mmCIF file with all atom_site columns, all heavy atoms in Angstrom:
data_model
loop_
_atom_site.group_PDB
_atom_site.id
_atom_site.type_symbol
_atom_site.label_atom_id
_atom_site.label_alt_id
_atom_site.label_comp_id
_atom_site.label_asym_id
_atom_site.label_entity_id
_atom_site.label_seq_id
_atom_site.pdbx_PDB_ins_code
_atom_site.Cartn_x
_atom_site.Cartn_y
_atom_site.Cartn_z
_atom_site.occupancy
_atom_site.B_iso_or_equiv
_atom_site.pdbx_formal_charge
_atom_site.auth_seq_id
_atom_site.auth_comp_id
_atom_site.auth_asym_id
_atom_site.auth_atom_id
_atom_site.pdbx_PDB_model_num
ATOM 1   N N   . PHE C 1 11  ? 14.687 4.285   8.218  1.00 43.00 ? 11  PHE C N   1
ATOM 2   C CA  . PHE C 1 11  ? 14.497 3.095   9.026  1.00 43.00 ? 11  PHE C CA  1
ATOM 3   C C   . PHE C 1 11  ? 14.029 1.946   8.169  1.00 43.00 ? 11  PHE C C   1
ATOM 4   O O   . PHE C 1 11  ? 13.311 2.126   7.213  1.00 43.00 ? 11  PHE C O   1
ATOM 5   C CB  . PHE C 1 11  ? 13.454 3.345   10.127 1.00 43.00 ? 11  PHE C CB  1
ATOM 6   C CG  . PHE C 1 11  ? 13.840 4.472   11.031 1.00 43.00 ? 11  PHE C CG  1
ATOM 7   C CD1 . PHE C 1 11  ? 13.324 5.734   10.819 1.00 43.00 ? 11  PHE C CD1 1
ATOM 8   C CD2 . PHE C 1 11  ? 14.731 4.267   12.068 1.00 43.00 ? 11  PHE C CD2 1
ATOM 9   C CE1 . PHE C 1 11  ? 13.676 6.788   11.633 1.00 43.00 ? 11  PHE C CE1 1
ATOM 10  C CE2 . PHE C 1 11  ? 15.080 5.308   12.889 1.00 43.00 ? 11  PHE C CE2 1
ATOM 11  C CZ  . PHE C 1 11  ? 14.561 6.574   12.673 1.00 43.00 ? 11  PHE C CZ  1
ATOM 12  N N   . VAL C 1 12  ? 14.455 0.750   8.544  1.00 46.00 ? 12  VAL C N   1
ATOM 13  C CA  . VAL C 1 12  ? 13.962 -0.455  7.893  1.00 46.00 ? 12  VAL C CA  1
ATOM 14  C C   . VAL C 1 12  ? 13.372 -1.354  8.972  1.00 46.00 ? 12  VAL C C   1
ATOM 15  O O   . VAL C 1 12  ? 13.966 -1.545  10.024 1.00 46.00 ? 12  VAL C O   1
ATOM 16  C CB  . VAL C 1 12  ? 15.072 -1.213  7.123  1.00 46.00 ? 12  VAL C CB  1
ATOM 17  C CG1 . VAL C 1 12  ? 16.226 -1.593  8.012  1.00 46.00 ? 12  VAL C CG1 1
ATOM 18  C CG2 . VAL C 1 12  ? 14.511 -2.468  6.460  1.00 46.00 ? 12  VAL C CG2 1
ATOM 19  N N   . TYR C 1 13  ? 12.178 -1.861  8.698  1.00 46.00 ? 13  TYR C N   1
ATOM 20  C CA  . TYR C 1 13  ? 11.542 -2.812  9.596  1.00 46.00 ? 13  TYR C CA  1
ATOM 21  C C   . TYR C 1 13  ? 11.744 -4.200  8.994  1.00 46.00 ? 13  TYR C C   1
ATOM 22  O O   . TYR C 1 13  ? 11.216 -4.500  7.930  1.00 46.00 ? 13  TYR C O   1
ATOM 23  C CB  . TYR C 1 13  ? 10.056 -2.503  9.737  1.00 46.00 ? 13  TYR C CB  1
ATOM 24  C CG  . TYR C 1 13  ? 9.821  -1.183  10.393 1.00 46.00 ? 13  TYR C CG  1
ATOM 25  C CD1 . TYR C 1 13  ? 9.850  -0.012  9.645  1.00 46.00 ? 13  TYR C CD1 1
ATOM 26  C CD2 . TYR C 1 13  ? 9.602  -1.099  11.767 1.00 46.00 ? 13  TYR C CD2 1
ATOM 27  C CE1 . TYR C 1 13  ? 9.650  1.224   10.259 1.00 46.00 ? 13  TYR C CE1 1
ATOM 28  C CE2 . TYR C 1 13  ? 9.400  0.131   12.381 1.00 46.00 ? 13  TYR C CE2 1
ATOM 29  C CZ  . TYR C 1 13  ? 9.427  1.282   11.622 1.00 46.00 ? 13  TYR C CZ  1
ATOM 30  O OH  . TYR C 1 13  ? 9.238  2.494   12.209 1.00 46.00 ? 13  TYR C OH  1
ATOM 31  N N   . SER C 1 15  ? 10.693 -7.509  8.604  1.00 46.00 ? 15  SER C N   1
ATOM 32  C CA  . SER C 1 15  ? 9.349  -7.977  8.925  1.00 46.00 ? 15  SER C CA  1
ATOM 33  C C   . SER C 1 15  ? 9.214  -9.477  8.729  1.00 46.00 ? 15  SER C C   1
ATOM 34  O O   . SER C 1 15  ? 9.425  -9.981  7.634  1.00 46.00 ? 15  SER C O   1
ATOM 35  C CB  . SER C 1 15  ? 8.327  -7.266  8.026  1.00 46.00 ? 15  SER C CB  1
ATOM 36  O OG  . SER C 1 15  ? 8.454  -5.873  8.175  1.00 46.00 ? 15  SER C OG  1
ATOM 37  N N   . LEU C 1 39  ? 10.931 -3.929  0.085  1.00 98.00 ? 39  LEU C N   1
ATOM 38  C CA  . LEU C 1 39  ? 9.966  -2.940  -0.380 1.00 98.00 ? 39  LEU C CA  1
ATOM 39  C C   . LEU C 1 39  ? 10.386 -1.578  0.147  1.00 98.00 ? 39  LEU C C   1
ATOM 40  O O   . LEU C 1 39  ? 10.644 -1.421  1.338  1.00 98.00 ? 39  LEU C O   1
ATOM 41  C CB  . LEU C 1 39  ? 8.571  -3.294  0.128  1.00 98.00 ? 39  LEU C CB  1
ATOM 42  C CG  . LEU C 1 39  ? 7.431  -2.340  -0.242 1.00 98.00 ? 39  LEU C CG  1
ATOM 43  C CD1 . LEU C 1 39  ? 7.175  -2.345  -1.752 1.00 98.00 ? 39  LEU C CD1 1
ATOM 44  C CD2 . LEU C 1 39  ? 6.157  -2.711  0.503  1.00 98.00 ? 39  LEU C CD2 1
ATOM 45  N N   . ARG C 1 52  ? 2.246  -4.334  1.365  1.00 98.00 ? 52  ARG C N   1
ATOM 46  C CA  . ARG C 1 52  ? 2.616  -4.864  2.689  1.00 98.00 ? 52  ARG C CA  1
ATOM 47  C C   . ARG C 1 52  ? 1.614  -5.907  3.158  1.00 98.00 ? 52  ARG C C   1
ATOM 48  O O   . ARG C 1 52  ? 1.987  -6.955  3.703  1.00 98.00 ? 52  ARG C O   1
ATOM 49  C CB  . ARG C 1 52  ? 2.703  -3.719  3.709  1.00 98.00 ? 52  ARG C CB  1
ATOM 50  C CG  . ARG C 1 52  ? 3.800  -2.694  3.413  1.00 98.00 ? 52  ARG C CG  1
ATOM 51  C CD  . ARG C 1 52  ? 3.820  -1.595  4.457  1.00 98.00 ? 52  ARG C CD  1
ATOM 52  N NE  . ARG C 1 52  ? 4.774  -0.540  4.130  1.00 98.00 ? 52  ARG C NE  1
ATOM 53  C CZ  . ARG C 1 52  ? 4.471  0.747   4.016  1.00 98.00 ? 52  ARG C CZ  1
ATOM 54  N NH1 . ARG C 1 52  ? 3.218  1.151   4.223  1.00 98.00 ? 52  ARG C NH1 1
ATOM 55  N NH2 . ARG C 1 52  ? 5.389  1.631   3.706  1.00 98.00 ? 52  ARG C NH2 1
ATOM 56  N N   . TYR C 1 62  ? 10.447 -10.167 4.742  1.00 97.00 ? 62  TYR C N   1
ATOM 57  C CA  . TYR C 1 62  ? 10.835 -9.090  3.829  1.00 97.00 ? 62  TYR C CA  1
ATOM 58  C C   . TYR C 1 62  ? 11.308 -7.881  4.614  1.00 97.00 ? 62  TYR C C   1
ATOM 59  O O   . TYR C 1 62  ? 11.041 -7.751  5.810  1.00 97.00 ? 62  TYR C O   1
ATOM 60  C CB  . TYR C 1 62  ? 9.655  -8.705  2.930  1.00 97.00 ? 62  TYR C CB  1
ATOM 61  C CG  . TYR C 1 62  ? 8.534  -7.954  3.624  1.00 97.00 ? 62  TYR C CG  1
ATOM 62  C CD1 . TYR C 1 62  ? 8.401  -6.574  3.509  1.00 97.00 ? 62  TYR C CD1 1
ATOM 63  C CD2 . TYR C 1 62  ? 7.602  -8.638  4.408  1.00 97.00 ? 62  TYR C CD2 1
ATOM 64  C CE1 . TYR C 1 62  ? 7.375  -5.897  4.150  1.00 97.00 ? 62  TYR C CE1 1
ATOM 65  C CE2 . TYR C 1 62  ? 6.575  -7.964  5.051  1.00 97.00 ? 62  TYR C CE2 1
ATOM 66  C CZ  . TYR C 1 62  ? 6.461  -6.594  4.913  1.00 97.00 ? 62  TYR C CZ  1
ATOM 67  O OH  . TYR C 1 62  ? 5.444  -5.929  5.554  1.00 97.00 ? 62  TYR C OH  1
ATOM 68  N N   . ASP C 1 63  ? 12.019 -6.999  3.941  1.00 96.00 ? 63  ASP C N   1
ATOM 69  C CA  . ASP C 1 63  ? 12.441 -5.742  4.533  1.00 96.00 ? 63  ASP C CA  1
ATOM 70  C C   . ASP C 1 63  ? 11.507 -4.636  4.071  1.00 96.00 ? 63  ASP C C   1
ATOM 71  O O   . ASP C 1 63  ? 11.284 -4.457  2.869  1.00 96.00 ? 63  ASP C O   1
ATOM 72  C CB  . ASP C 1 63  ? 13.877 -5.402  4.133  1.00 96.00 ? 63  ASP C CB  1
ATOM 73  C CG  . ASP C 1 63  ? 14.908 -6.188  4.926  1.00 96.00 ? 63  ASP C CG  1
ATOM 74  O OD1 . ASP C 1 63  ? 14.526 -6.819  5.929  1.00 96.00 ? 63  ASP C OD1 1
ATOM 75  O OD2 . ASP C 1 63  ? 16.089 -6.168  4.537  1.00 96.00 ? 63  ASP C OD2 1
ATOM 76  N N   . ASP C 1 64  ? 10.944 -3.898  5.036  1.00 96.00 ? 64  ASP C N   1
ATOM 77  C CA  . ASP C 1 64  ? 10.023 -2.794  4.775  1.00 96.00 ? 64  ASP C CA  1
ATOM 78  C C   . ASP C 1 64  ? 10.798 -1.499  5.004  1.00 96.00 ? 64  ASP C C   1
ATOM 79  O O   . ASP C 1 64  ? 10.866 -0.995  6.123  1.00 96.00 ? 64  ASP C O   1
ATOM 80  C CB  . ASP C 1 64  ? 8.829  -2.911  5.719  1.00 96.00 ? 64  ASP C CB  1
ATOM 81  C CG  . ASP C 1 64  ? 7.757  -1.879  5.452  1.00 96.00 ? 64  ASP C CG  1
ATOM 82  O OD1 . ASP C 1 64  ? 7.781  -1.208  4.411  1.00 96.00 ? 64  ASP C OD1 1
ATOM 83  O OD2 . ASP C 1 64  ? 6.871  -1.738  6.320  1.00 96.00 ? 64  ASP C OD2 1
ATOM 84  N N   . VAL C 1 65  ? 11.413 -0.973  3.966  1.00 96.00 ? 65  VAL C N   1
ATOM 85  C CA  . VAL C 1 65  ? 12.258 0.212   4.081  1.00 96.00 ? 65  VAL C CA  1
ATOM 86  C C   . VAL C 1 65  ? 11.391 1.453   3.938  1.00 96.00 ? 65  VAL C C   1
ATOM 87  O O   . VAL C 1 65  ? 10.721 1.634   2.926  1.00 96.00 ? 65  VAL C O   1
ATOM 88  C CB  . VAL C 1 65  ? 13.366 0.212   3.011  1.00 96.00 ? 65  VAL C CB  1
ATOM 89  C CG1 . VAL C 1 65  ? 14.210 1.481   3.118  1.00 96.00 ? 65  VAL C CG1 1
ATOM 90  C CG2 . VAL C 1 65  ? 14.235 -1.025  3.147  1.00 96.00 ? 65  VAL C CG2 1
ATOM 91  N N   . ARG C 1 66  ? 11.408 2.313   4.959  1.00 95.00 ? 66  ARG C N   1
ATOM 92  C CA  . ARG C 1 66  ? 10.530 3.487   4.997  1.00 95.00 ? 66  ARG C CA  1
ATOM 93  C C   . ARG C 1 66  ? 11.383 4.759   4.999  1.00 95.00 ? 66  ARG C C   1
ATOM 94  O O   . ARG C 1 66  ? 12.210 4.952   5.880  1.00 95.00 ? 66  ARG C O   1
ATOM 95  C CB  . ARG C 1 66  ? 9.642  3.435   6.238  1.00 95.00 ? 66  ARG C CB  1
ATOM 96  C CG  . ARG C 1 66  ? 8.621  2.283   6.201  1.00 95.00 ? 66  ARG C CG  1
ATOM 97  C CD  . ARG C 1 66  ? 7.956  2.120   7.561  1.00 95.00 ? 66  ARG C CD  1
ATOM 98  N NE  . ARG C 1 66  ? 6.890  1.123   7.513  1.00 95.00 ? 66  ARG C NE  1
ATOM 99  C CZ  . ARG C 1 66  ? 5.595  1.419   7.476  1.00 95.00 ? 66  ARG C CZ  1
ATOM 100 N NH1 . ARG C 1 66  ? 5.205  2.678   7.470  1.00 95.00 ? 66  ARG C NH1 1
ATOM 101 N NH2 . ARG C 1 66  ? 4.693  0.466   7.440  1.00 95.00 ? 66  ARG C NH2 1
ATOM 102 N N   . ARG C 1 245 ? 4.661  -3.237  13.498 1.00 95.00 ? 245 ARG C N   1
ATOM 103 C CA  . ARG C 1 245 ? 5.009  -3.066  12.087 1.00 95.00 ? 245 ARG C CA  1
ATOM 104 C C   . ARG C 1 245 ? 3.920  -2.331  11.317 1.00 95.00 ? 245 ARG C C   1
ATOM 105 O O   . ARG C 1 245 ? 4.200  -1.692  10.303 1.00 95.00 ? 245 ARG C O   1
ATOM 106 C CB  . ARG C 1 245 ? 5.256  -4.430  11.432 1.00 95.00 ? 245 ARG C CB  1
ATOM 107 C CG  . ARG C 1 245 ? 6.403  -5.208  12.034 1.00 95.00 ? 245 ARG C CG  1
ATOM 108 C CD  . ARG C 1 245 ? 6.822  -6.371  11.147 1.00 95.00 ? 245 ARG C CD  1
ATOM 109 N NE  . ARG C 1 245 ? 5.734  -7.225  10.744 1.00 95.00 ? 245 ARG C NE  1
ATOM 110 C CZ  . ARG C 1 245 ? 5.219  -8.195  11.486 1.00 95.00 ? 245 ARG C CZ  1
ATOM 111 N NH1 . ARG C 1 245 ? 5.668  -8.394  12.714 1.00 95.00 ? 245 ARG C NH1 1
ATOM 112 N NH2 . ARG C 1 245 ? 4.240  -8.950  11.036 1.00 95.00 ? 245 ARG C NH2 1
#
Side-chain angles (χ1 to χ4, degrees):
F11 301 97
V12 57
Y13 295 84
S15 303
L39 179 66
R52 296 180 185 124
Y62 72 101
D63 282 348
D64 185 13
V65 178
R66 293 169 174 257
R245 298 194 309 278

